[in-house]
Amino acid sequence: MTIPANTSRRRHALGDISVLYLHVMARAVAAQDHDIGPDFEQFGISETLLQAPEARISIPRFMRLGHAAILRTGQPSLGLTMGALTRPIDAGLSGLAGMSAATAGEGLATIIRYSLLNSRNSRGHPRYETDRQRACFYSIRPYNRYNFFVVDSVMAGWTQFLRRMTGQHAVLEQVCIEYPDQGEQAAFEAWFGCPVTFGAPENHIQIRPEIARTPSREAHPAMHRALQQQCDTQLKRIRGGWTVIDQVREKLTPMLEGQSPSLEDVAAELGMAPWTLQRQLNAEQSRFKDLLDETRRDLAADYVLETRLNFAEIAWLLGFSGPPAFHKAYRRWFGMSPGQHREPVQP
């Protein structure tokens, strides 16, 4: 089926991730005595792409590839292996900046602060709470067999970083994971070395206070300052090209879940008065109502074509009142139902 011309949309509306993390996945599969090569070939991951450190792939493509790797190895907890094999350099410049920080807590905070250099997810951003010694990973509800490993690999990678920084194994007090236990609690508690709570309100690792304060074994103040400056420069380059429209789109996506945010809601997230936001949008010849519709349209196409989420879940993620409202909007956008659009790509 030929996709209508009006399906044109921004690339990677759901976000993207550095190909550096594909190398981590390949090492994890190899550690299970398997070759990820056939999966790379299936998903169009060429050697040229792998050797381009600035290259990225879409988040849905990364999740489908991870699921294929889990099927190949038969290891549902492959994300833990990915975390165990994650090195600071796998986070690029931000990883090196974090490794040279004065303390373990400061190092992890550095990696998280510059996470946009390695990945961009429309669902949210990780954060480090210095006062609570807690590293939090945003929610990627609804959870399914395609995204469990993402949470596992990120929080296991943070844990491995702390272990490398301090030379100690017992670095955490507790791990909280949003999705339900998949029968792996014993394996998770053995790997993290602390209690693990599934079905929690949020994803986070609780760091032992003394670990957060532990001096890094590879601290280098001068290099840390220099690397932070380079990270700041890259971050400004990324954000410097953002228009007000881009900023509104970035805030809108995580706010859509189960609701339709207003201009006032988005203005509050951006730290400005509603009339100021309206004036700036007018200056860019845009209206909030149109931006909301366009953002939903772009995300809808990615959800339908690049994920296995059912249409009720997609309707909720996009803030529609229910599946009928979502189907009606989808036909208006693309001239076909979401089922007709998905069928040729995902039988």
Side-chain angles (χ1 to χ4, degrees):
M1 179 182 295
T2 301
I3 297 176
N6 64 346
T7 59
S8 176
R9 53 193 168 86
R10 293 189 308 159
R11 183 173 177 80
H12 301 167
L14 293 177
D16 47 43
I17 187 168
S18 169
V19 296
L20 294 174
Y21 293 108
L22 295 182
H23 293 278
V24 179
M25 189 183 293
R27 292 200 299 272
V29 171
Q32 302 296 326
D33 296 321
H34 289 272
D35 177 17
I36 202 172
D39 298 317
F40 277 176
E41 183 176 354
Q42 177 187 351
F43 288 92
I45 307 299
S46 66
E47 187 62 29
T48 301
L49 181 69
L50 289 169
Q51 296 307 316
E54 300 298 320
R56 298 192 178 202
I57 65 169
S58 73
I59 292 291
R61 189 177 174 195
F62 179 72
M63 291 194 298
R64 295 200 307 273
L65 183 55
H67 178 61
I70 289 170
L71 292 179
R72 179 170 296 279
T73 61
Q75 291 294 325
S77 59
L78 188 68
L80 297 185
T81 305
M82 289 177 63
L85 296 175
T86 297
R87 308 164 302 178
I89 192 63
D90 294 316
L93 196 61
S94 63
L96 297 178
M99 204 65 190
S100 59
T103 66
E106 184 182 345
L108 184 55
T110 299
I111 287 179
I112 292 175
R113 181 165 65 251
Y114 296 118
S115 61
L116 190 60
L117 301 184
N118 307 302
S119 65
R120 178 190 60 82
N121 196 312
S122 63
R123 303 293 295 278
H125 307 284
R127 69 183 191 277
Y128 185 85
E129 300 176 350
T130 304
D131 56 335
R132 303 170 74 181
Q133 288 88 47
R134 177 179 292 184
C136 306
F137 189 60
Y138 50 83
S139 174
I140 51 176
R141 298 187 305 262
Y143 287 96
N144 53 52
R145 65 187 186 277
Y146 291 91
N147 58 21
F148 294 143
F149 87 96
V150 176
V151 176
D152 305 343
S153 62
V154 169
M155 298 208 297
W158 289 346
T159 304
Q160 189 67 13
F161 175 82
L162 292 171
R163 288 171 175 168
R164 178 164 179 163
M165 287 279 280
T166 62
Q168 299 186 47
H169 183 80
V171 296
L172 304 181
E173 288 184 343
Q174 185 183 33
V175 173
C176 288
I177 296 175
E178 278 190 335
Y179 67 77
D181 179 21
Q182 302 298 300
E184 297 288 324
Q185 182 156 5
F188 274 61
E189 292 189 339
W191 193 91
F192 283 107
C194 68
V196 176
T197 300
F198 288 91
E202 69 172 358
N203 301 306
H204 74 253
I205 59 171
Q206 184 66 54
I207 304 166
R208 292 170 53 197
E210 64 273 22
I211 290 297
R213 298 190 297 267
T214 299
S216 168
R217 297 192 302 170
E218 300 187 40
H220 196 300
M223 282 303 300
H224 183 62
R225 288 193 300 272
L227 289 165
Q228 275 192 309
Q229 289 175 358
Q230 292 184 50
C231 287
D232 284 332
T233 298
Q234 288 194 13
L235 203 57
K236 288 177 181 176
R237 187 179 302 123
I238 292 172
R239 288 179 169 157
W242 286 4
T243 64
V244 173
I245 291 174
D246 293 327
Q247 294 176 51
V248 169
R249 282 180 178 272
E250 190 217 6
K251 293 297 182 183
L252 268 176
T253 302
M255 296 174 70
L256 284 172
E257 298 180 357
Q259 62 179 336
S260 182
S262 66
L263 181 142
E264 289 75 17
D265 295 330
V266 175
E269 284 291 313
L270 290 171
M272 64 175 68
W275 54 86
T276 301
L277 177 56
Q278 184 64 66
R279 185 179 67 250
Q280 292 186 9
L281 287 175
N282 289 341
E284 294 189 12
Q285 299 182 325
S286 181
R287 298 187 305 170
F288 179 77
K289 179 182 178 181
D290 294 335
L291 274 180
L292 177 60
D293 190 64
E294 291 164 7
T295 300
R296 279 174 160 164
R297 180 200 65 204
D298 293 347
L299 291 168
D302 267 2
Y303 279 131
V304 168
L305 295 175
E306 298 199 46
T307 79
R308 299 292 178 114
L309 295 175
N310 65 52
F311 299 141
E313 290 172 328
I314 296 174
W316 179 81
L317 285 168
L318 297 179
F320 284 101
S321 58
F326 167 60
H327 280 254
K328 181 179 179 180
Y330 207 91
R331 282 190 175 277
R332 172 170 58 84
W333 290 326
F334 304 117
M336 65 177 75
S337 72
Q340 290 171 318
H341 207 172
R342 170 177 281 181
E343 201 277 331
V345 180
Q346 296 179 183

